[in-house]
Amino acid sequence: MVMWRLAVTGLTSALHLAQALGSVLNVTVDDQYGDPTTGLSVLYSPSSKWEDGQSCDNCTAQPNATNAYMQTWKIGTYTPGEDVLQASFSFTGMYKQGRSSLRLQSDVCSVGIAIYVSCIVTGSLENPDGNTDLTFYIDNANVGSFEKTPDGNATYLYGTNVFATKGLSNTLHTLTIESGSGGSEALVMLDSITYTYVHNFIHTNPLSNPPVQYSGEQYLIDGQFQQLCHPQP
């Protein structure tokens, strides 16, 4: 169970409350273990073309697992003439509304969503061919690419940021990573995906007269917020 705790104090009146809190939260999604808050996993296709890199003895690429996030990575090689490789993941910053025992309506939303993709890359010329050719889509719209032509340096570069974007709306999105759209043989070693959002919540109590001093606490538990509010003496 993953839990963040947020706390706020404020003063409610007959019209509206008057304090809101913003907090930046990061969620890192492992290539194999998935999202620790929602339980969603990265989906790979064609599934037969992807391997769990850390346990792939016959893969020519053999990074050091201790340098990878959670010691895992997903590896695939695009072969010309075959289907391109894809990895897709759905994410959102939207959380359900909740109501407290004080009849305070909690309007919960997240804005300024950003997402980052981290891969292991290499400049090796052969065994493996380190050519990297990635195209990125969000909700089926092309939003960027990453290319790395082998330069003979066989060093593995861990935690390489191959894609980043921000300012997405706080609705459900699907990120798709495509390898091989350029038509040449291409290697991909996906390590992790991180999405970031700003969580804001505002309390209102139009029925409160006179104003009520209160404190509120919110917990992000397994991807959903649960809230407790308490009147102050």
Side-chain angles (χ1 to χ4, degrees):
M1 177 176 291
V2 178
M3 180 172 73
W4 287 270
R5 179 179 181 275
L6 308 178
V8 63
T9 60
L11 183 67
T12 58
S13 68
L15 296 177
H16 66 281
L17 150 96
Q19 182 158 345
L21 173 71
S23 180
V24 177
L25 302 177
N26 295 332
V27 178
T28 299
V29 179
D30 182 65
D31 59 284
Q32 293 170 41
Y33 296 118
D35 189 326
T37 64
T38 66
L40 294 176
S41 299
V42 182
L43 303 179
Y44 298 94
S45 66
S47 57
S48 60
K49 302 293 291 184
W50 291 89
E51 301 281 351
D52 294 342
Q54 74 282 0
S55 58
C56 183
D57 295 332
N58 62 347
C59 291
T60 56
Q62 293 291 331
N64 187 334
T66 60
N67 294 324
Y69 179 72
M70 297 191 74
Q71 300 186 6
T72 70
W73 65 95
K74 204 76 171 179
I75 185 170
T77 299
Y78 166 74
T79 302
E82 298 185 355
D83 292 337
V84 296
L85 275 62
Q86 289 189 334
S88 61
F89 175 70
S90 296
F91 64 101
T92 181
M94 183 75 77
Y95 290 92
K96 296 180 180 179
Q97 292 184 343
R99 188 181 295 273
S100 79
S101 59
L102 283 181
R103 303 179 70 184
L104 302 176
Q105 184 67 33
S106 175
D107 299 317
V108 181
C109 66
S110 303
V111 296
I113 299 173
I115 191 165
Y116 309 87
V117 178
S118 177
C119 287
I120 302 171
V121 300
T122 179
S124 174
L125 294 172
E126 58 182 2
N127 298 321
D129 181 341
N131 183 56
T132 304
D133 173 20
L134 300 174
T135 305
F136 302 91
Y137 301 85
I138 293 181
D139 305 331
N140 297 317
N142 189 322
V143 290
S145 63
F146 178 90
E147 297 178 357
K148 179 176 173 59
T149 302
D151 56 9
N153 184 350
T155 301
Y156 290 103
L157 304 177
Y158 301 90
T160 300
N161 186 2
V162 296
F163 175 73
T165 192
K166 61 182 180 179
L168 301 174
S169 61
N170 60 335
T171 56
L172 181 68
H173 298 287
T174 298
L175 167 72
T176 301
I177 306 166
E178 189 172 275
S179 176
S181 58
S184 299
E185 181 173 319
L187 174 71
V188 56
M189 292 182 281
L190 178 63
D191 194 9
S192 66
I193 298 169
T194 299
Y195 63 95
T196 300
Y197 56 90
V198 179
H199 169 73
N200 296 293
F201 60 90
I202 300 175
H203 301 292
T204 60
N205 185 7
L207 302 179
S208 175
N209 188 18
V212 176
Q213 182 76 34
Y214 77 93
S215 65
E217 297 173 344
Q218 287 205 337
Y219 297 85
L220 178 57
I221 303 175
D222 293 338
Q224 292 192 0
F225 281 95
Q226 298 183 12
Q227 178 179 312
L228 297 173
C229 290
H230 313 284
Q232 300 298 294

